[in-house]
Amino acid sequence: MRTSRKHTHALLALFALVVMSSFALAADPGLAFPATSEASDQKAGSVLFYNIYTSGATSGNTQNTRINITNTNAFFSQFVHLYFVAEGCSIADSYICLTANQTASFLASDVDPGISGYLVAVSVGGVTGCPIAFNSLIGDEYVKFTSGHAANLGAVAFAALYD
């Protein structure tokens, strides 16, 4: 009688463990947004729009932006043309190359010091430098202002549509 009670308790404990572990499983991330969906910071695209960046020429600790851009493609590298558009509409540009599944992070003060504006990242061909369809770019930025305000913002992605 005592042995069967021990087995019953062991089986109940095992059953409870199985039931509780099923609740602990992570949720399925689901499918990626289709390219035809509207622009969003929740999908990958060929063009990324960063709403604002700022950089202090001498106050990098109090006013700066950390920009992240990721190539989510597991097989192909990608060249990205960065356009830093200042408040007065002057443009500074730069290129980066991202290998498969690579994230690049940099500070705006390292590329365009003492300027505030917005950033556009465009996927381009390596040989021609012309825009290409490569819907695998995502990004975000962390912005700090001298006023003490700070925010983490996702880059809005625009996907290339194939005909």
Side-chain angles (χ1 to χ4, degrees):
M1 177 86 169
R2 196 93 150 126
T3 306
S4 72
R5 181 182 266 179
K6 286 183 182 179
H7 288 300
T8 304
H9 284 223
L11 285 174
L12 283 174
L14 183 62
F15 177 72
L17 184 63
V18 169
V19 169
M20 288 181 191
S21 67
S22 69
F23 292 121
L25 296 176
D28 181 17
L31 299 174
F33 281 97
T36 56
S37 65
E38 60 275 349
S40 169
D41 63 352
Q42 300 295 307
K43 71 174 196 173
S46 293
V47 176
L48 298 179
F49 183 81
Y50 294 83
N51 294 319
I52 188 167
Y53 79 92
T54 186
S55 62
T58 58
S59 59
N61 292 334
T62 58
Q63 178 181 347
N64 213 344
T65 304
R66 184 190 66 235
I67 298 166
N68 303 310
I69 185 167
T70 301
N71 174 6
T72 61
N73 191 295
F75 304 106
F76 299 106
S77 61
Q78 184 55 46
F79 291 98
V80 181
H81 194 168
L82 303 173
Y83 297 94
F84 295 86
V85 183
E87 291 172 337
C89 292
S90 62
I91 297 174
D93 69 328
S94 179
Y95 286 91
I96 60 171
C97 180
L98 298 171
T99 60
N101 290 325
Q102 181 186 8
T103 298
S105 296
F106 56 92
L107 296 174
S109 61
D110 292 340
V111 182
D112 201 13
I115 303 293
S116 293
Y118 62 90
L119 171 65
V120 180
V122 180
S123 181
V124 296
V127 176
T128 63
C130 293
I132 63 168
F134 186 78
N135 293 334
S136 296
L137 298 178
I138 60 171
D140 73 327
E141 62 182 336
Y142 179 72
V143 185
K144 286 191 306 187
F145 295 96
T146 54
S147 64
H149 294 89
N152 195 55
L153 306 170
V156 178
F158 295 86
L161 300 179
Y162 303 97
D163 289 325

